[in-house]
């Protein structure tokens, strides 16, 4: 939109570098070019503003494939007005001299022209393509066909329009068909995910098995070492027992030898003592025998009365102590008679 200001019945227009301004007065072209700035009278001037920058036209339309499936086509056409004079002559780009606003809708007309032309070529190529091929290669085919069709369209150069680029954003089937088409892929993806899960589980199981085997091997090695330790302890115990037994045997032998020596010494001592006792007994016996023989010899030489007196003395020595004795005359007479060798009266 042109920038127009008012000053005392005059108008001043200041155009943008991307807007081509055409100024006619009384049928004569006074100003023609982009980015112009000039004064004019509203009553006698005719103004046209033609944009010369690149413009994007987004379009969405439906088409049907050869297998009677509806698809939605999203595309974008980049165009520019390469001949502003021709475009201003074919389309209404006139602006209000007071406001600078277009009197008509020229860009909408251009959009309709481009959309219908592109849609015609897209429908033509999709009508001969099945849905599966359209979803795989349809974007490139539609883009090439639309670009070629717009380039060969005679109305565009006749209107001063130049197509810069054509982009097809997407070809989408109906939601139900899209879900049906996604199902195998989703199942395949799910299968891949399940396989990956199974592989991860298998790897985890393998790792757990490896860990368990390592733990079992460690336990076996530990048990083997414990067995060796027990065996070594048993060997040490046997050696210690053997050493203790040998020491005990040595001590027993020494004790036995000492006991034998002590027994021999005791026996020798007992023999000696027995011999001494026997010798003493023999000497005592001899002495007693000699004393008895001497006693007998002494008594053999003594008379009977003396022997009787000695006998009485010995008897008295061996009798218990008598404090008092009462002797009757008869007993005393008889005793004296016996001592005298006679018979009592």
């Amino acid at each position: 939109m042109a920038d127009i200001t008012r000053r005392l019945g005059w108008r001043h227009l200041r155009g943008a570098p991307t807007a081509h301004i055409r100024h006619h007065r009384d049928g004569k072209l006074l100003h023609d070019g982009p980015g112009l700035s000039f004064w004019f009278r509203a009553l006698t001037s005719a103004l046209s503003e033609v944009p010369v920058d690149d413009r994007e036209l987004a379009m969405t339309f439906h088409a049907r494939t050869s297998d009677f499936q509806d698809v939605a086509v999203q595309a974008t056409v980049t165009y520019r007005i390469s001949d502003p004079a021709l475009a201003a002559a074919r389309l209404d780009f006139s602006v209000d001299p007071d406001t600078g606003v277009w009197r008509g809708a020229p860009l909408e007309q251009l959009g309709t022209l481009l959309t219908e032309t592109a849609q015609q070529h897209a429908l033509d190529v999709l009508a001969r393509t099945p849905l599966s091929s359209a979803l795989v290669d349809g974007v490139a085919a539609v883009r090439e066909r639309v670009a070629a069709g717009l380039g060969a369209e005679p109305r565009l150069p006749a209107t001063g329009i130049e197509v810069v680029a054509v982009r097809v954003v997407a070809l989408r089937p109906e939601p139900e068909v899209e879900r049906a088409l996604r199902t195998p892929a989703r199942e395949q993806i799910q299968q891949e995910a399940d396989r990956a899960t199974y592989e991860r589980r298998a790897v985890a199981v393998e790792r757990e098995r490896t860990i368990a085997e390592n733990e079992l091997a460690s336990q076996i090695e530990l048990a083997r070492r414990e067995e060796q330790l027990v065996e070594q302890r048993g060997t040490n115990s046997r050696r210690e027992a053997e050493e203790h037994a040998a020491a005990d045997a040595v001590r027993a032998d020494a004790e036995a030898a000492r006991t034998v020596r002590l027994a021999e010494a005791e026996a020798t001592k007992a023999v000696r003592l027995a011999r001494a006792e026997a010798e003493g007994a023999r000497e005592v016996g001899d002495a007693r025998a000699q004393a008895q023989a001497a006693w007998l010899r002494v008594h053999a030489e003594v008379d009977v009365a003396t022997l009787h007196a000695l006998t009485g003395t010995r008897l008295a020595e061996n009798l218990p102590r008598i404090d008092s004795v009462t002797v009757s005359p008869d007993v005393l007479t008889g005793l004296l008679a016996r001592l005298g060798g006679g018979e009592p009266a």
Side-chain angles (χ1 to χ4, degrees):
M1 184 179 67
D3 184 12
I4 298 177
T5 57
R6 301 179 182 182
R7 292 290 188 277
L8 300 175
W10 287 84
R11 305 288 188 271
H12 183 270
L13 183 144
R14 184 174 58 188
T18 57
H20 189 95
I21 304 298
R22 292 176 62 85
H23 176 210
H24 291 81
R25 188 178 62 186
D26 297 334
K28 295 180 180 180
L29 183 60
L30 300 181
H31 299 91
D32 185 18
L36 298 180
S37 180
F38 55 86
W39 291 90
F40 67 92
R41 287 185 176 274
L43 297 177
T44 59
S45 298
L47 301 175
S48 297
E49 183 183 16
V50 181
V52 294
D53 56 339
D54 292 346
R55 291 184 173 265
E56 303 285 341
L57 176 63
M59 58 185 70
T60 301
F61 54 88
H62 291 271
R64 179 169 293 182
T65 61
S66 61
D67 50 359
F68 305 102
Q69 298 295 326
D70 291 335
V71 293
V73 182
Q74 296 178 359
T76 301
V77 176
T78 303
Y79 70 94
R80 73 167 64 99
I81 299 176
S82 58
D83 191 346
L86 183 59
R90 300 296 300 272
L91 298 174
D92 186 10
F93 283 97
S94 62
V95 298
D96 191 326
D98 291 329
T99 60
V101 179
W102 279 319
R103 297 179 184 275
L107 295 182
E108 293 181 3
Q109 296 177 1
L110 284 177
T112 301
L113 175 62
L114 292 172
T115 300
E116 291 178 353
T117 304
Q119 184 176 358
Q120 179 182 356
H121 294 288
L123 293 176
D124 184 54
V125 69
L126 290 175
R128 294 191 297 271
T129 306
L131 178 62
S132 58
S133 300
L135 295 178
V136 175
D137 301 324
V139 173
V142 171
R143 182 180 65 249
E144 293 175 359
R145 182 61 180 275
V146 171
L150 292 177
E153 179 63 34
R155 293 179 58 189
L156 298 180
T159 314
I161 306 300
E162 178 185 358
V163 177
V164 177
V166 176
R167 298 187 301 277
V168 177
V169 179
L171 289 175
R172 293 185 178 276
E174 293 182 348
E176 295 81 4
V177 177
E178 186 173 5
R179 283 194 295 269
L181 293 175
R182 287 179 179 177
T183 301
R186 287 183 177 179
E187 291 180 353
Q188 184 177 1
I189 294 173
Q190 186 63 38
Q191 292 176 359
E192 294 291 336
D194 293 340
R195 184 167 63 254
T197 302
Y198 296 150
E199 290 178 356
R200 287 196 300 271
R201 290 180 180 176
V203 171
V205 171
E206 183 65 22
R207 290 179 178 175
E208 290 179 357
R209 185 180 65 81
T210 303
I211 293 172
E213 289 180 354
N214 293 334
E215 291 179 352
L216 181 59
S218 299
Q219 293 178 359
I220 293 174
E221 181 65 20
L222 182 59
R224 186 178 64 81
R225 293 187 178 181
E226 288 180 354
E227 182 180 0
Q228 293 178 354
L229 180 59
V230 171
E231 183 178 357
Q232 186 65 35
R233 286 179 177 175
T235 303
N236 295 337
S237 299
R238 286 195 299 273
R239 290 179 180 176
E240 185 177 359
E242 291 175 356
E243 291 177 357
H244 286 310
D248 292 339
V250 171
R251 285 195 297 271
D253 293 341
E255 187 68 23
R258 189 175 66 84
T259 303
V260 169
R261 289 194 301 270
L262 291 176
E264 291 177 350
E266 291 291 336
T268 303
K269 184 177 180 181
V271 169
R272 290 178 180 176
L273 182 60
R275 288 178 181 177
E277 288 179 355
E279 186 68 24
R282 187 174 64 252
E283 292 178 356
V284 171
D286 292 342
R288 286 181 178 178
Q290 292 175 5
Q292 187 69 26
W295 185 80
L296 290 176
R297 285 193 304 269
V298 171
H299 283 77
E301 296 176 356
V302 179
D303 55 1
V304 175
T306 304
L307 292 175
H308 287 169
L310 291 174
T311 301
T313 303
R314 289 289 183 89
L315 180 62
E317 290 176 357
N318 292 324
L319 287 176
R321 182 179 179 181
I322 300 174
D323 294 333
S324 62
V325 178
T326 303
V327 180
S328 63
D330 295 335
V331 174
L332 182 59
T333 302
L335 180 59
L336 291 175
R338 290 182 180 179
L339 291 175
E343 294 293 333

